[in-house]
Amino acid sequence: MLEAYKNQTSSEAVVRPVPVLEVFGPTVQGEGMVIGRKTMFVRTAGCDYRCSWCDSAFTWDGSAKDSIALLSPEDIWEELYRLGGERFDHVTISGGNPALLPQLGSLVDLLHSRGITVALETQGSRWQPWLSDIDEITLSPKPPSSRMDTDWNILDDVVSRLSAREPGRSFSLKVVVFDDRDLSYAKTVHERYPNVPFYIQAGNPDVSTTNQTAHVADLLLRYEQLIEAVMASDRLNDVRVLPQLHTLVWSNKRGV
């Protein structure tokens, strides 16, 4: 997809290009607070986590290192427009963890200058000043099944900073649930930040299967079980229970 841009930068002087693995869309956002929203995606390389069930491990495990393109904000916009033309007004920045990249502020500014609403998902492990300018942020701290540990002090700080942003910028919390320990973790997160919109999402335990029919059936069963567990809880009242929408439509297909 990005072959024409690999190892290139814009003609303008760029000190820190953005490491990009994928640009694709238009498609629908499959997760979190903007689920179902028509959007374009920019997927950056690199992550500070190594989640056991990660569905985008290629962003950090080295398997897609030859696909990384170092792009300026202008290059990224050109690729977005080449793919989407006039058919989008929303861009989701994904990863990996895009909050590792201090240079993304220039891309956010450029997208806003084009009239684009910008969304982003991060686990809340890093703060960048440009996060204050993102229109829709999903904080997705990782539950025990990920085998990652939450630094609550850092997450507290990120939530505090996002809560202090100007009106018109929104954020939410999302926890992916695979088992009872994850559900308990979700309750802890929700109670720690009771004033932040909270989403619980059924996890995808098989990120490599190509048997779409069986995969979708399993995901729907997991979603049903998660709904039942949330309905039975008196600690999870003001929450929204979601599937991972794009996996129900396309299973593990990339670039959609």
Side-chain angles (χ1 to χ4, degrees), residues 187-239:
K187 295 172 183 176
T188 298
V189 172
H190 184 42
E191 290 171 346
R192 192 178 184 96
Y193 311 107
N195 297 319
V196 180
F198 189 70
Y199 296 80
I200 296 180
Q201 181 177 295
N204 174 12
D206 190 345
V207 298
S208 60
T209 183
T210 57
N211 186 338
Q212 182 170 354
T213 300
H215 188 214
V216 169
D218 179 63
L219 293 173
L220 284 172
L221 177 60
R222 288 175 173 274
Y223 182 42
E224 179 183 5
Q225 292 170 340
L226 180 59
I227 290 172
E228 291 173 351
V230 172
M231 297 309 111
S233 173
D234 61 2
R235 296 170 61 190
L236 293 170
N237 290 340
D238 187 14
V239 305

Side-chain angles (χ1 to χ4, degrees), residues 142-173:
K142 305 309 178 186
S145 63
S146 71
R147 300 178 190 162
M148 296 292 105
D149 295 323
T150 300
D151 188 319
W152 295 105
N153 290 329
I154 293 177
L155 186 58
D156 286 349
D157 180 63
V158 172
V159 169
S160 177
R161 289 173 184 266
L162 293 179
S163 298
R165 298 191 304 168
E166 64 183 47
R169 312 286 193 210
S170 59
F171 80 102
S172 65
L173 283 154

Side-chain angles (χ1 to χ4, degrees), residues 36-196:
R37 177 66 157 93
K38 184 180 182 181
T39 191
M40 299 289 293
F41 275 88
V42 176
R43 187 185 300 280
T44 61
C47 192
D48 49 331
Y49 276 22
R50 301 292 184 266
C51 295
S52 61
W53 36 251
C54 181
D55 61 1
S56 53
F58 61 92
T59 63
W60 51 262
D61 66 6
S63 62
K65 63 182 179 181
D66 293 336
S67 299
I68 297 173
L70 300 178
L71 306 181
S72 72
E74 291 79 11
D75 293 332
I76 295 171
W77 172 254
E78 288 177 10
E79 181 70 355
L80 285 166
Y81 194 81
R82 184 186 71 81
L83 294 170
E86 301 290 341
R87 296 177 292 120
F88 71 98
D89 64 1
H90 189 277
V91 169
T92 300
I93 303 173
S94 183
N97 183 10
L100 294 177
L101 304 172
Q103 65 269 44
L104 273 180
S106 296
L107 174 61
V108 175
D109 290 343
L110 177 61
L111 292 173
H112 281 155
S113 75
R114 300 292 197 273
I116 303 299
T117 300
V118 183
L120 179 140
E121 180 168 332
T122 176
Q123 57 262 48
S125 61
R126 299 290 182 93
W127 175 258
Q128 299 289 349
W130 53 259
L131 286 168
S132 293
D133 298 322
I134 300 292
D135 301 292
E136 299 162 339
I137 293 179
T138 297
L139 292 181
S140 184
K142 305 309 178 186
S145 63
S146 71
R147 300 178 190 162
M148 296 292 105
D149 295 323
T150 300
D151 188 319
W152 295 105
N153 290 329
I154 293 177
L155 186 58
D156 286 349
D157 180 63
V158 172
V159 169
S160 177
R161 289 173 184 266
L162 293 179
S163 298
R165 298 191 304 168
E166 64 183 47
R169 312 286 193 210
S170 59
F171 80 102
S172 65
L173 283 154
K174 183 195 77 179
V175 173
V176 177
V177 171
F178 288 84
D179 54 33
D180 289 342
R181 286 203 309 153
D182 290 355
L183 188 65
S184 178
Y185 175 87
K187 295 172 183 176
T188 298
V189 172
H190 184 42
E191 290 171 346
R192 192 178 184 96
Y193 311 107
N195 297 319
V196 180

